[in-house]
Amino acid sequence: MVAFFSLKKNSRLNLIIFAVMNGIFLFIGGPEIFVILLIVVMLFGADKIPEIARGLGKGMRQIKDATNDIKREINESAKNQGIDTDFVRDINKEVNEVKDNIDDFTGPIKRNR
């Protein structure tokens, strides 16, 4: 299964597939997901599901674009007001250094599940 995930490029899709296959999606198991999918197919029909998914994808894209616009406007207004926003970059740099140090320290240790 690990080789399957390394072949895919979309990490969000990999996470969803992994969650569905392992039954950890919203704390419900595989049989419950199968029943939900069966009900969706029965209600909407197999030919309508791609249209519904396409509409949901467009809606999610619009939400993502709106949030990116809001972030951009906040950053532009902060720069116009003279507010320093470089502290976020510095914090991320420090956090990444700590993560790397932890990875170096725990590298030889393997977890057993």
Side-chain angles (χ1 to χ4, degrees):
M1 186 184 316
V2 175
F4 172 73
F5 290 120
S6 64
L7 295 175
K8 297 286 184 175
K9 292 182 181 178
N10 190 346
S11 61
R12 289 182 187 168
L13 180 62
N14 289 341
L15 182 62
I16 292 170
I17 291 171
F18 178 76
V20 170
M21 292 177 80
N22 288 319
I24 58 173
F25 189 73
L26 298 176
F27 302 108
I28 56 177
E32 290 89 358
I33 293 173
F34 179 73
V35 170
I36 292 170
L37 291 175
L38 183 66
I39 291 171
V40 167
V41 169
M42 287 173 45
L43 285 176
F44 298 110
D47 55 339
K48 296 287 183 183
I49 293 176
E51 294 174 21
I52 294 170
R54 198 172 301 119
L56 289 173
K58 286 181 182 179
M60 291 173 62
R61 169 57 76 187
Q62 289 176 349
I63 291 171
K64 184 176 180 181
D65 290 343
T67 57
N68 287 338
D69 288 341
I70 291 170
K71 287 179 188 177
R72 184 178 42 79
E73 288 182 20
I74 289 172
N75 287 332
E76 286 178 4
S77 65
K79 287 179 184 177
N80 290 339
Q81 297 294 325
I83 299 173
D84 184 25
T85 59
D86 292 334
F87 68 92
V88 174
R89 191 176 312 119
D90 294 337
I91 292 172
N92 285 334
K93 181 181 172 188
E94 293 294 326
V95 167
N96 288 332
E97 287 178 9
V98 170
K99 284 181 185 178
D100 291 339
N101 289 337
I102 291 173
D103 288 340
D104 291 341
F105 182 70
T106 61
I109 301 172
K110 295 189 177 192
R111 295 181 184 171
N112 293 328
R113 289 187 178 190

